[in-house]
Amino acid sequence: MKNIISALKVLPFENKICQLPIDDSKINKPRKVIGYCFSDVTPEQKENPRLIAHSKSAFSLINVDLDVKNEENIQILAGNLVPSLARPLAHCYCGYQFGNWAGQLGDGRAITLGDLNGYELQLKGSGLTPYSRFADGKAVIRSSIREYLCSEFMFHLNIPTTRAASLVITDTKAERDIYYDGHPIQENCAVVLRIAETFLRFGSFEVEIDLNPKNTIIPQLWNYCKKYYFADKENPFQEIVNRTAKLVAQWQCYGFCHGVLNTDNMSIIGLTIDYGPFGFIDYFNKNHICNNSDKEGRYSYANQPQVCLWNLNRLSEALEGVIPKDQSKQIIQDSYWVQYKKWYYHFMLRKLGLIDENQMEFTKSQCILIDSFFDILHQSCTNFTKVFQILQQIEIPHQNYVDEEVELNQDDIKIIQQLVQISAPREVYLQMRKPKISKQQIDQFIQYAASSRQLLHMFGIDENWLQQQIQLYKEYDQIQGISEQERLKIISLLWSDWVMQYKSETNQANRIQIMEQMNPKYTITNTVLQTIIQEVETNQNFGLLQKIQSVIENPYVKHTELDEIFNQICNNEICVSCSS
């Protein structure tokens, strides 16, 4: 029988992570750390902490039934008190950011208290560490609400993720230049308690890339991971590749954009980690960029699978001392896209109710159906949440068999009209399809390419990327010349053809039940999140936050009273960057 705890002060930390090398100098200021996986640190004090939300299911992982009225608990969740058996640590890691080597990074504002019951506990926003670089070690309310809600939403969508157990706001201030326009303001700080089996990431294994000679950290770290996270796996690196491929396939199927897929933001055990400038797609655009700092779209929705592959290759190079590089590269080459496509089509076909959870083999026509589905979504900028709910309404006789000739009936035509109605309004559609790079910049890059490819490379411009931008402008010029009436007619014709194909592929008697289990009724878009943030920051009203939490904990259930919040037209002027 589990020993349920209500007071965090007596948590029975096991601290297996203390087996790894720890810098015990306890100097809580930015500095270079060499030869250690962690540094001893002390969380900073926060003024007047208040617990405004917590996740019972996340706390249950560590057998805690939180006493929310216990003042010591709130002080611990703010980082003001440290549990008796805890050992606060900050993790040292390096990484490639936006494709460029960035050197030492590390936990700049996250402090791990320790581990118990197979999970690590980490306070994000708890103060300066040796890895804070130019920052202050604090997290503001905006970014903390976003991480808290999205972590739990991803969990309830059954997408592997770190968890968020609590959200504490404080009166401690931090200076932030929200719009990067030279006008910083003072914002209130917050602290999130994150829980995960481990917060180790690809970047954890990159700490020796620019060291010569190398030391023994990587073998120690690799053996530690094999012992605790891959003990039942014959080939741990193969497992990392498989989990990464499956994870990004799930992101694509649920319209999730991470926003900053640097190697230091990739979990070694295949979790979604480090929620910063993320965004769920509202009106579908395959080229959607959720990070306002990502001017070239390296981390766009469409590029996520390729970027994760790139990151795996960097991990392969970092592990060369423990796994021959030719061996790990071969594993990536042989299995990444196979695994990705397998899971991508599996989840998408389930979202359309065409297969059950046990089916892992698909026909060519099923895969073509999925590909054409996304083509229409992109051309029409259709609402990515509502489209599945409308498709559930299609009636298909149980005796229907694949390859039967199918015709549209009056009910189908009404459904197609609904599908057309959830495409983006014209002004939003044009705004979304407009390339992020100005036409003048593109013309300038074309001139560089014509005179000297080397000159183009000097500016860090990839020729393939340039061709993509040229194509985007051609498409944009074309759609600008189409009237709204013509656009909607084209969308209607596209959906008509697709619905006929869909009906001909469907022979699942329990199609609707499968779809209801796979498609959330609501998605926490940036528009929804910003509404919550304003309520908390401006009005000190936590009621909406708690209502939305109840929705994300049951995302497949209808919550009619909150439809108005979730039905807001997406605000594409909301910009999030690496600091959210």
Side-chain angles (χ1 to χ4, degrees):
M1 186 174 178
K2 293 179 180 178
N3 181 24
I4 303 299
I5 297 169
S6 61
L8 301 178
K9 186 177 181 180
V10 296
L11 282 173
F13 285 104
E14 300 158 10
N15 294 335
K16 65 178 185 285
I17 57 174
C18 293
Q19 299 171 35
L20 296 167
I22 297 174
D23 154 37
D24 60 4
S25 60
K26 295 187 178 179
I27 303 173
N28 271 44
K29 66 178 183 180
R31 56 193 171 86
K32 185 75 172 176
V33 176
I34 297 175
Y36 299 100
C37 290
F38 296 93
S39 293
D40 278 322
V41 290
T42 304
E44 291 182 0
Q45 296 294 299
K46 300 290 187 296
E47 296 178 29
N48 189 25
R50 285 96 70 202
L51 177 67
I52 64 169
H54 74 288
S55 166
K56 291 182 179 180
S57 66
F59 271 115
S60 71
L61 297 173
I62 53 171
N63 300 330
V64 167
D65 181 8
L66 188 69
D67 181 354
V68 297
K69 295 182 179 179
N70 183 319
E71 182 60 28
E72 275 193 344
N73 282 347
I74 297 172
Q75 295 296 330
I76 288 170
L77 294 173
N80 289 348
L81 287 177
V82 176
S84 306
L85 297 177
R87 183 176 181 179
L89 299 170
H91 180 35
C92 178
Y93 51 83
C94 296
Y96 289 88
Q97 299 195 325
F98 290 89
N100 300 305
W101 177 244
Q104 179 178 291
L105 300 166
D107 288 335
R109 56 178 177 175
I111 294 177
T112 298
L113 296 177
D115 59 83
L116 70 152
N117 203 37
Y119 292 93
E120 295 175 14
L121 278 63
Q122 187 179 85
L123 294 174
K124 185 170 182 178
S126 48
L128 278 174
T129 77
Y131 315 106
S132 297
R133 296 184 290 162
F134 48 81
D136 56 17
K138 299 171 182 174
V140 294
I141 289 175
R142 286 180 292 118
S143 59
S144 301
I145 287 176
R146 287 170 55 81
E147 171 138 11
Y148 176 78
L149 288 176
C150 192
S151 300
E152 291 307 283
F153 185 50
M154 294 288 271
F155 169 74
H156 290 286
L157 290 179
N158 297 313
I159 298 175
T161 179
T162 57
R163 301 294 302 277
S166 66
L167 174 60
V168 169
I169 62 171
T170 76
D171 289 343
T172 298
K173 302 290 184 181
E175 186 175 85
R176 294 289 185 268
D177 187 351
I178 301 177
Y179 302 108
Y180 295 92
D181 60 0
H183 296 90
I185 63 171
Q186 294 290 318
E187 296 190 65
N188 281 58
C189 294
V191 181
V192 173
L193 175 65
R194 306 199 297 185
I195 299 178
E197 291 175 74
T198 182
F199 291 94
L200 294 175
R201 65 254 345 259
F202 288 13
S204 304
F205 296 88
E206 294 178 317
V207 292
E208 295 185 352
I209 283 179
D210 53 3
L211 292 183
N212 194 15
K214 312 293 186 187
N215 56 41
T216 59
I217 285 184
I218 303 307
Q220 281 182 268
L221 197 54
W222 182 243
N223 288 334
Y224 175 87
C225 286
K226 288 196 296 182
K227 178 179 179 181
Y228 290 107
Y229 311 120
F230 304 110
D232 60 339
K233 304 300 177 184
E234 184 178 341
N235 189 327
F237 190 81
Q238 178 73 70
E239 183 67 14
I240 293 168
V241 172
N242 293 354
R243 291 188 192 184
T244 301
K246 182 179 179 180
L247 177 67
V248 70
Q250 289 176 279
W251 291 348
Q252 301 304 96
C253 293
Y254 284 88
F256 175 76
C257 300
H258 185 282
V260 60
L261 282 174
N262 300 325
T263 57
D264 58 292
N265 292 333
M266 297 282 295
S267 164
I268 200 68
I269 60 169
L271 305 177
T272 312
I273 190 172
D274 290 346
Y275 292 90
F278 70 84
F280 281 93
I281 288 181
D282 193 335
Y283 293 119
F284 190 84
N285 173 12
K286 69 181 180 182
N287 300 310
H288 176 65
I289 303 168
C290 62
N291 183 352
N292 194 48
S293 303
D294 186 10
K295 301 302 181 186
E296 295 183 5
R298 176 182 175 84
Y299 298 141
S300 69
Y301 167 83
N303 286 346
Q304 288 186 137
Q306 186 64 46
V307 166
C308 288
L309 172 63
W310 192 91
N311 289 341
L312 280 167
N313 278 296
R314 302 294 78 73
L315 177 63
S316 164
E317 293 158 8
L319 288 172
E320 188 174 10
V322 291
I323 307 173
K325 189 163 63 175
D326 59 345
Q327 180 181 323
S328 58
K329 293 273 189 180
Q330 193 66 49
I331 290 171
I332 296 170
Q333 182 179 324
D334 291 345
S335 59
Y336 177 77
W337 286 118
V338 172
Q339 289 290 319
Y340 171 78
K341 290 176 182 177
K342 177 183 78 173
W343 288 111
Y344 172 75
Y345 286 116
H346 171 79
F347 287 120
M348 278 309 306
L349 288 167
R350 283 174 64 192
K351 283 174 73 69
L352 291 175
L354 298 179
I355 63 172
D356 62 32
E357 63 182 333
N358 299 314
Q359 189 172 335
M360 296 303 300
E361 293 184 1
F362 332 114
T363 65
K364 184 177 180 180
S365 61
Q366 285 177 326
C367 295
I368 290 172
L369 184 75
I370 298 301
D371 295 341
S372 60
F373 175 70
F374 276 99
D375 286 342
I376 298 173
L377 290 179
H378 180 67
Q379 291 183 58
S380 59
C381 290
T382 294
N383 185 291
F384 193 60
T385 302
K386 293 180 181 178
V387 65
F388 296 100
Q389 296 169 28
I390 292 174
L391 291 175
Q392 283 180 215
Q393 300 172 29
I394 295 175
E395 292 188 11
I396 301 173
H398 291 340
Q399 67 267 27
N400 183 59
Y401 292 100
V402 177
D403 296 329
E404 248 184 35
E405 191 165 335
V406 174
E407 292 184 357
L408 297 179
N409 57 41
Q410 287 300 311
D411 289 334
D412 294 334
I413 291 169
K414 289 178 182 178
I415 286 170
I416 289 164
Q417 290 172 346
Q418 291 182 54
L419 291 170
V420 173
Q421 288 169 3
I422 62 168
S423 61
R426 183 173 177 80
E427 65 276 9
V428 175
Y429 171 74
L430 290 174
Q431 182 187 359
M432 292 176 68
R433 296 297 295 273
K434 185 177 181 179
K436 303 297 182 185
I437 306 296
S438 72
K439 189 72 165 62
Q440 290 80 1
Q441 284 178 294
I442 295 299
D443 290 341
Q444 190 174 37
F445 292 148
I446 291 172
Q447 289 178 4
Y448 291 157
S451 61
S452 170
R453 288 185 177 181
Q454 193 172 7
L455 184 62
L456 195 66
H457 295 158
M458 282 176 60
F459 285 91
I461 303 300
D462 178 76
E463 290 170 73
N464 291 330
W465 174 84
L466 180 57
Q467 289 303 317
Q468 289 174 3
Q469 300 306 309
I470 294 170
Q471 183 60 34
L472 287 176
Y473 263 104
K474 287 180 180 177
E475 292 175 6
Y476 184 64
D477 289 341
Q478 288 175 353
I479 64 176
Q480 277 188 302
I482 299 174
S483 69
E484 182 66 355
Q485 187 176 3
E486 288 177 294
R487 183 178 81 94
L488 295 179
K489 184 178 179 181
I490 292 169
I491 293 171
S492 179
L493 290 171
L494 290 170
W495 277 124
S496 297
D497 289 344
W498 188 87
V499 168
M500 282 196 290
Q501 294 173 40
Y502 176 59
K503 292 182 72 171
S504 70
E505 286 288 346
T506 303
N507 62 356
Q508 279 281 353
N510 58 341
R511 175 182 67 93
I512 292 175
Q513 182 183 356
I514 294 171
M515 292 183 76
E516 286 179 341
Q517 293 170 348
M518 289 296 294
N519 298 300
K521 297 290 190 292
Y522 307 95
T523 300
I524 50 170
T525 61
N526 281 337
T527 309
V528 173
L529 288 167
Q530 191 60 26
T531 303
I532 300 166
I533 290 165
Q534 288 171 349
E535 279 294 300
V536 172
E537 287 188 327
T538 306
N539 303 324
Q540 290 290 296
N541 181 356
F542 312 130
L544 181 59
L545 167 67
Q546 290 156 2
K547 286 179 182 177
I548 298 299
Q549 181 172 340
S550 70
V551 172
I552 66 177
E553 288 175 346
N554 296 280
Y556 301 101
V557 176
K558 189 74 172 168
H559 300 262
T560 308
E561 72 280 6
L562 292 171
D563 279 354
E564 186 178 345
I565 295 294
F566 286 95
N567 286 338
Q568 298 175 88
I569 292 177
C570 71
N571 182 354
N572 288 296
E573 294 180 357
I574 296 174
C575 295
V576 289
S577 66
C578 292
S579 60
S580 300

